Amino acid sequence: MRTAIVGAVLLLLGIVAVATGILPLEDAAQLGDRVWPILLFVVAVTVVTELAAEAGLFTAIAQQTARWGRGRAWVLWLLVAAVAALSTIFLSLDTTAVLLTPVVIVLARHAGLDPLPFALTTVWLANTGSLLLPVSNLTNLLAQHAMGDPSPLQFAALTAAPAIVAIVVPVVAIFLIYRRRLLTRYETGDIDGIEDPVLFWWSAAVVVALVPLLVSGIPVWMPATGAAVVLGAVFLVRRRSVLRFGLVPWQLVVLASGLFLFIEALHSVGLGELLAVVSGTGDSPLALLRLSLTGMVGANAIDNLPAYLALEPVAGSPARLVALLIGVNAGPLITPWASLATLLWHQRLTSLDVEIRWSRYILLGAIVAPLTVILATLALIATL
């Protein structure tokens, strides 16, 4: 609810800016044309993943992953990392943080393993793994538009090298931190049956069909909305009680809408000029590193979405936009509020009685985030 309240306040401030002429109505209308497909995609893909989780799809994937681990904790953990990365890349970081986190915690406990390395893997990869495709992160969808709407494959060609680095570095760091807990064995246990096979297989088919459509070049809100409608219809027939207003991430929509309008109003009064001084200009290696680190600092100070929105106008080129994405996507590993996914992840941990001290989270993130951002930016520079 606090998320919605903050969003509503920002939205109100943005409306006041429009009403008083600080933000021209034409600029606000152009902003609306730009962001409505993005927000519709967020709503639709969230509904799809929530319904798929209700059908047991993600739990079944986790249980099968436990079998593939063959009793070796480090193999199981690597498989969880792979699932987390793929979930983030194709279904967005919030899907990984919200839906995969409880699954892997239950999985670790079922195997008699410490859930912390698994939980930390999901939240770090939910952030750092969200560089590759436009659908991976809301910031990517904004950057795709700023680049002139390249296809998903063209976008991935720009982000592939830093995206790989941004996944590998946190994974290596987690292994080094928790190696003693991961170099052990576990018992596989029994696999639970599927409660409703019809819902399960419909959900599996819809998700399998959706993934290639999200990278086909079609505007992503179209296949996501279609998938949400199909799954909604199936659940309407099979399990109507699941269809509730809570499936819609309305708090996130209110927050994003407020941030969009408020940051646009700030740009109308000179925010861009101030940030240009801080973030620098040009596509030189030092300039790209400066921009990505500025994005990382901004994300950990005020959250990654407003940090991106504030810095996007001073990016100015595809290379600088990718550098900015590295900072705001791979960098928010330090403060709890650096990304909404982190806050959602922590809510899931609390509900499952898993405790991680924020002091330890901040300390680990302060080491890993700069290293990840710098190495990922160097990978980008090497491909230019």
Side-chain angles (χ1 to χ4, degrees):
M1 185 59 68
R2 284 177 293 182
T3 299
I5 292 172
V6 171
V9 170
L10 293 174
L11 195 57
L12 180 61
L13 291 173
I15 292 171
V16 170
V18 173
T20 57
I22 295 174
L23 175 61
L25 182 60
E26 182 180 353
D27 291 351
Q30 290 177 352
L31 177 68
D33 287 340
R34 178 184 179 187
V35 304
W36 75 258
I38 296 171
L39 294 179
L40 180 56
F41 164 76
V42 170
V43 170
V45 79
T46 300
V47 170
V48 169
T49 51
E50 288 280 2
L51 292 178
E54 287 282 352
L57 180 62
F58 296 107
T59 301
I61 291 172
Q63 291 177 334
Q64 181 59 52
T65 301
R67 295 184 66 187
W68 288 337
R70 295 184 179 276
R72 294 178 176 85
W74 67 271
V75 176
L76 176 61
W77 167 73
L78 280 179
L79 290 169
V80 165
V83 172
L86 291 173
S87 170
T88 301
I89 290 168
F90 291 104
L91 296 174
S92 86
L93 73 168
D94 293 327
T95 296
T96 301
V98 174
L99 299 180
L100 195 60
T101 297
V103 172
V104 300
I105 288 173
V106 171
L107 171 64
R109 283 176 168 168
H110 185 65
L113 300 172
D114 183 356
L116 274 182
F118 294 85
L120 192 62
T121 299
T122 59
V123 71
W124 276 7
L125 290 184
N127 288 289
T128 67
S130 65
L131 274 171
L132 186 63
L133 295 175
V135 299
S136 308
N137 199 323
L138 184 56
T139 55
N140 297 8
L141 291 168
L142 293 167
Q144 182 188 29
H145 180 83
M147 291 176 186
D149 292 314
S151 70
L153 292 180
Q154 291 171 328
F155 185 94
L158 289 170
T159 59
I164 293 171
V165 172
I167 290 173
V168 170
V169 173
V171 168
V172 171
I174 290 172
F175 179 77
L176 293 176
I177 295 166
Y178 291 103
R179 60 188 180 279
R180 290 185 180 178
R181 304 182 198 183
L182 294 174
L183 294 174
T184 185
R185 299 189 67 85
Y186 67 92
E187 297 295 330
T188 303
D190 297 328
I191 292 183
D192 298 332
I194 298 170
E195 183 179 345
D196 188 329
V198 174
L199 286 179
F200 176 85
W201 289 112
W202 267 100
S203 299
V206 167
V207 171
V208 168
L210 178 61
V211 168
L213 290 175
L214 291 177
V215 297
S216 66
I218 301 171
V220 291
W221 65 268
M222 293 182 179
T225 302
V229 170
V230 170
L231 270 189
V234 176
F235 271 82
L236 185 63
V237 174
R238 302 289 300 184
R239 197 184 298 172
R240 184 175 302 182
S241 61
V242 172
L243 300 177
R244 60 191 186 280
F245 183 69
L247 290 175
V248 178
W250 62 273
Q251 297 184 46
L252 176 58
V253 171
V254 172
L255 176 63
S257 301
L259 286 170
F260 287 143
L261 197 58
F262 182 69
I263 295 297
E264 189 70 16
L266 290 181
H267 275 291
S268 296
V269 295
L271 177 64
E273 289 77 4
L274 174 63
L275 291 173
V277 175
V278 176
S279 60
T281 58
D283 289 354
S284 69
L286 286 179
L288 294 178
L289 278 169
R290 181 177 176 181
L291 179 57
S292 64
L293 290 172
T294 301
M296 181 193 73
V297 172
N300 285 287
I302 61 172
D303 184 84
N304 66 335
L305 182 56
Y308 173 83
L309 292 170
L311 288 164
E312 184 195 72
V314 301
S317 70
R320 284 180 64 80
L321 282 166
V322 175
L324 175 57
L325 288 178
I326 292 170
V328 299
N329 289 10
L333 305 181
I334 303 173
T335 58
W337 57 83
S339 78
L340 180 61
T342 302
L343 294 175
L344 295 172
W345 167 80
H346 190 258
Q347 288 178 357
R348 296 289 181 168
L349 291 193
T350 301
S351 67
L352 292 165
D353 295 322
V354 176
E355 182 180 353
I356 181 169
R357 297 190 306 275
W358 280 124
S359 58
R360 178 171 174 77
Y361 181 89
I362 292 170
L363 176 62
L364 293 177
I367 297 170
V368 175
L371 183 63
T372 303
V373 169
I374 291 171
L375 291 178
T377 306
L378 292 176
L380 169 65
I381 293 167
T383 62
L384 296 177

